[in-house]
Amino acid sequence: MLAIDIIVIILALTFGSFFNVVAIRLLKKESISYPPSHCPNCKHRLGALDLIPLFSYILLGGRCRYCRVKISYLYPVGEGLTAVTIFIVYKTIGLTPELLPAFILSITLVLAVLTDIREKLILDVITLPSIVLLLIIRMFIGGQPFLFYLLGGAVGFGLLLLIAIVSKGGMGGGDIKLYAAIGLALGPIQTIMSLVLASLFGAVIGIVFISTGLVKRKEPIAFGPFILIGTLVAYLYGNQIWEWYLGFIM
Ligand SMILES: [Zn+2]
């Protein structure tokens, strides 16, 4: 492993712990920068050792260093998820201009997953800035003309709106706006691919969860994690999948 990979992993973990806290605070409508990171129980401020909580979580067996109260598994999961996402995106795309929209998309998706898992909510404060940023970025960065990505945004927004109308509320406004952002980053073809893959993963996992009794039949499952996986696969490997598919049917 290269030295730069190690730096990226440490950076990704730091981003992970930061955005994990951002997600929690946005849900609680707290300020992002104040107060500094603290234990949710004893309010003890986290020291330098706790700044990468994934490590201290494992070392301390999932308990606060100071009051020993058990800390939710969502902390290390959120942090690990962000780190893994950023690292995969970096390794696949490399140090190119495309890394900028890729990074914005990754953060948007991870924040959406974290708030979706916790509260079944995808917040406007996450999706709307992402839409604006990607709109601006796609005017300057991308392998396709700006209109291609604009069409992608429209396809993402339109498809999800259609699903929301047909399913009568099975899809929330947050998902619709999230897919507008995804469309701006991916363009129309990979956006459709992302939705197909997300639904496929969601259906498979849903069947597994229901048949093993992990969730009840009517209980809603957060769709966010499947959107994340489907979108990353479509974004990073969409072209390969498309070629494989064309070779398969022809
Ligand atoms: Zn504590």
Side-chain angles (χ1 to χ4, degrees):
M1 191 180 284
L2 294 165
I4 186 149
D5 286 347
I6 295 167
I7 295 170
V8 171
I9 290 174
I10 292 171
L11 268 178
L13 281 167
T14 313
F15 277 126
S17 90
F18 173 72
F19 285 110
N20 196 31
V21 173
V22 169
I24 295 163
R25 294 202 179 166
L26 286 176
L27 283 172
K28 288 184 185 165
K29 297 199 167 57
E30 282 176 14
S31 150
I32 290 171
S33 55
Y34 186 86
S37 300
H38 54 267
C39 163
N41 179 53
C42 69
K43 313 287 182 228
H44 206 113
R45 239 182 104 164
L46 299 187
L49 272 171
D50 306 310
L51 280 182
I52 297 180
L54 184 60
F55 293 148
S56 52
Y57 192 89
I58 295 165
L59 286 173
L60 298 166
R63 288 173 188 279
C64 168
R65 183 191 302 278
Y66 307 101
C67 68
R68 310 294 302 160
V69 77
K70 259 206 164 310
I71 293 172
S72 162
Y73 72 93
L74 284 171
Y75 283 84
V77 165
E79 191 179 318
L81 184 72
T82 314
V84 168
T85 303
I86 290 176
F87 189 70
I88 290 174
V89 164
Y90 160 76
K91 281 306 269 183
T92 317
I93 292 179
L95 279 175
T96 64
E98 185 64 23
L99 202 54
L100 182 61
F103 186 70
I104 305 275
L105 179 71
S106 306
I107 298 304
T108 308
L109 287 169
V110 165
L111 282 175
V113 169
L114 293 179
T115 58
D116 201 21
I117 293 177
R118 283 173 186 272
E119 306 279 339
K120 301 266 182 338
L121 268 178
I122 296 175
L123 303 165
D124 282 354
V125 70
I126 294 165
T127 52
L128 295 183
S130 169
I131 289 173
V132 173
L133 278 173
L134 285 167
L135 255 178
I136 297 168
I137 289 169
R138 277 304 185 211
M139 289 179 193
F140 306 101
I141 296 171
Q144 303 283 343
F146 175 60
L147 273 179
F148 178 82
Y149 297 108
L150 201 59
L151 181 65
V155 166
F157 184 86
L159 269 179
L160 270 280
L161 184 64
L162 196 70
I163 295 173
I165 293 168
V166 172
S167 69
K168 296 197 178 72
M171 201 63 80
D175 298 290
I176 300 174
K177 283 167 235 169
L178 180 62
Y179 254 97
I182 292 171
L184 284 168
L186 270 63
I189 301 160
Q190 275 146 296
T191 299
I192 294 169
M193 207 182 274
S194 144
L195 189 59
V196 171
L197 289 171
S199 311
L200 215 64
F201 295 145
V204 171
I205 299 294
I207 289 167
V208 170
F209 273 25
I210 289 167
S211 59
T212 54
L214 273 170
V215 294
K216 292 187 185 69
R217 187 169 293 271
K218 288 280 169 184
E219 201 176 315
I221 300 173
F223 195 47
F226 306 112
I227 297 180
L228 171 77
I229 299 170
T231 302
L232 281 184
V233 173
Y235 179 48
L236 300 173
Y237 304 104
N239 291 329
Q240 285 99 312
I241 294 173
W242 187 239
E243 276 163 30
W244 173 83
Y245 178 72
L246 287 181
F248 185 72
I249 56 168
M250 288 198 288

